[in-house]
Amino acid sequence: MKRILSGMQPTYQLHLGNYLGALKNWVDLQNAEPDNENLYCVVDMHAITMPYDRDGLAQATREIAAAYIAAGIDPKKSAIFAQSAVGDLHAQLMWYLATMTQIGKLNRMTQFKDKVGKNTEKAGLGLYAYPVLMAADILIYNATHVPVGEDQKQHLELARDIASTFNHRYNREFFTLPEPMIMGDATRVMSLRDGNQKMSKSAESDLSRINLTDDADMIADKIKRAKTDPNPLPETVDGLKGRPEADNLVTIYAALSGQTKVQVLEEFGGKQFSEFKPKLSEITVEKIAPITTRMRELMADPTEIDSILKNGADKARTVASPILSEVKSIMGFWES
Ligand code: AQP
């Protein structure tokens, strides 16, 4: 049996990259492997590592939970919970793990560098220590597998490294080294404005991403205005090399339609973007609209989401508490 753990931050709104790179894979995994134990977290303690809206945090947390459910995560098969609801356990383990994390390794984390730019002196300790909290989020459940987009690969490697340091230091195979699961064809969806930049919640231009809450007109408009080059689509996947925007749009089409890029190019190779883009809008709306509609219904009754989050937190605590107790015992802390 696999124990699956993953999460998303309640910052801004989820976009097509979050969906294709992570959420869709969680749903596929939940349905294909019913024996797995699934823990899906809204990582609100990570969301506060950057300036955030205090008054909107709780609602944003509910919204992410609604997106999970609307996309197909079933609360009967998967625990859905807010990280802060089990935050005492996550944060306590984080501290223990921080004592065995080398600063040199944290200094190599590209997400931190991307987020702070040149302004390292003013960056918060929380943002710097983000990967250690992420390691604790995973190890507190002794999760075996972590489905994420490609951008999280480096953080996962650090989590494995920290788990292995713990095992080595205390001379036992206590933590399972968590396996990253980078699934599907759209492991890194790129911005619609620049095919070399990741599609991101915090990018300034809303035209750079398709949000899960966008309506059909907004989706069509964003795809129409998506950056492309002047050439028609190539006949082969090789022909996408050096054409990041074309590659991205073909990747998105393939992931949404359940086809390979080869199949997409068999249909659209030689055609102009003016012909391809309306088809891409059509399939995007077809896949996203039911999620958006269900999210709206769920958000109309927050009591149901609150109850799902509460049950999820109870379940998460049941799994995490004995693991933390064992960690404390292994580390030699006093216990009554
Ligand atoms: N562009 C992407 N393509 C594929 N997968 C992606 N993920 C994020 N962006 C893409 C995956 O979504 C999951 C949740 O991510 P997160 O909420 O932790 O936020 P993030 O990775 O920091 O995503 P953003 O949108 O880029 O947020 P900001 O702008 O706030 O930094 C993860 O599994 C991630 O891999």
Side-chain angles (χ1 to χ4, degrees):
M1 183 202 71
K2 292 177 189 153
R3 184 175 284 160
I4 313 275
L5 177 287
S6 200
M8 297 201 185
Q9 298 184 67
T11 42
Y12 311 99
Q13 285 164 348
L14 294 189
H15 52 69
L16 199 58
N18 298 129
Y19 177 65
L20 292 176
L23 187 49
K24 181 177 178 295
N25 299 328
W26 303 356
V27 176
D28 292 346
L29 207 54
Q30 170 198 265
N31 298 337
E33 299 183 17
D35 292 338
N36 291 345
E37 189 173 6
N38 308 305
L39 298 151
Y40 290 117
C41 186
V42 182
V43 288
D44 48 0
M45 288 161 70
H46 287 281
I48 62 166
T49 56
M50 294 289 278
Y52 72 101
D53 168 23
R54 180 251 166 244
D55 296 334
L57 183 62
Q59 192 65 352
T61 301
R62 289 188 189 102
E63 249 174 52
I64 301 289
Y68 290 0
I69 300 162
I73 296 294
D74 178 350
K76 291 196 195 79
K77 298 180 187 161
S78 304
I80 300 173
F81 60 101
Q83 179 190 26
S84 62
V86 222
D88 48 334
L89 307 183
H90 287 232
Q92 194 173 343
L93 181 62
M94 179 207 168
W95 179 251
Y96 301 156
L97 300 180
T99 65
M100 44 198 100
T101 306
Q102 290 170 1
I103 284 181
K105 288 186 180 158
L106 288 180
N107 286 342
R108 288 201 279 278
M109 296 293 119
T110 53
Q111 182 172 295
F112 175 74
K113 290 188 214 166
D114 290 347
K115 293 220 160 160
V116 299
K118 292 196 179 88
N119 216 356
T120 38
E121 287 292 311
K122 291 206 169 146
L125 176 60
L127 189 62
Y128 186 62
Y130 184 117
V132 190
L133 180 57
M134 182 165 154
D137 299 336
I138 299 165
L139 300 178
I140 194 76
Y141 303 103
N142 228 336
T144 59
H145 292 80
V146 186
V148 283
E150 205 184 73
D151 59 321
Q152 291 299 325
K153 203 169 160 200
Q154 195 187 30
H155 286 166
L156 248 302
E157 271 158 21
L158 184 74
R160 285 169 64 86
D161 194 77
I162 296 172
S164 157
T165 304
F166 180 97
N167 290 349
H168 189 252
R169 188 170 291 185
Y170 297 99
N171 199 22
R172 66 198 74 201
E173 292 306 308
F174 179 72
F175 284 127
T176 312
L177 302 197
E179 286 289 339
M181 296 178 98
I182 298 172
M183 301 162 65
D185 294 315
T187 55
R188 192 173 175 83
V189 177
M190 308 310 279
S191 156
L192 298 181
R193 307 302 290 170
D194 177 353
N196 294 307
Q197 295 289 325
K198 187 182 87 138
M199 187 178 281
S200 154
K201 298 191 206 99
S202 56
E204 217 166 285
S205 167
D206 194 53
L207 289 174
S208 70
R209 64 186 157 254
I210 290 169
N211 302 305
L212 292 192
T213 46
D214 286 347
D215 63 26
D217 289 344
M218 287 160 93
I219 292 174
D221 183 51
K222 285 177 179 180
I223 291 179
K224 195 169 161 202
R225 291 162 75 171
K227 187 179 166 196
T228 47
D229 54 47
N231 300 319
L233 282 161
E235 312 273 347
T236 63
V237 173
D238 237 23
L240 290 170
K241 276 199 193 122
R243 299 180 63 187
E245 284 82 16
D247 193 0
N248 189 37
L249 297 186
V250 170
T251 302
I252 294 174
Y253 191 97
L256 288 171
S257 64
Q259 290 176 281
T260 60
K261 288 205 268 188
V262 174
Q263 287 169 318
V264 176
L265 292 177
E266 267 165 19
E267 190 180 345
F268 292 103
K271 303 224 162 100
Q272 298 293 337
F273 283 102
S274 54
E275 209 171 319
F276 177 63
K277 281 180 166 181
K279 295 284 179 199
L280 178 59
S281 299
E282 227 171 79
I283 187 121
T284 309
V285 171
E286 187 189 314
K287 299 289 173 185
I288 297 299
I291 301 178
T292 314
T293 308
R294 183 76 187 113
M295 264 178 86
R296 290 216 180 95
E297 287 165 8
L298 286 160
M299 287 306 289
D301 179 14
T303 50
E304 192 191 336
I305 295 185
D306 286 345
S307 141
I308 289 169
L309 285 170
K310 173 149 189 348
N311 289 339
D314 291 344
K315 164 81 205 281
R317 190 170 286 281
T318 311
V319 180
S321 284
I323 294 176
L324 186 65
S325 297
E326 238 182 299
V327 167
K328 287 179 70 181
S329 167
I330 290 170
M331 291 181 74
F333 283 105
W334 172 87
E335 46 198 331
S336 59

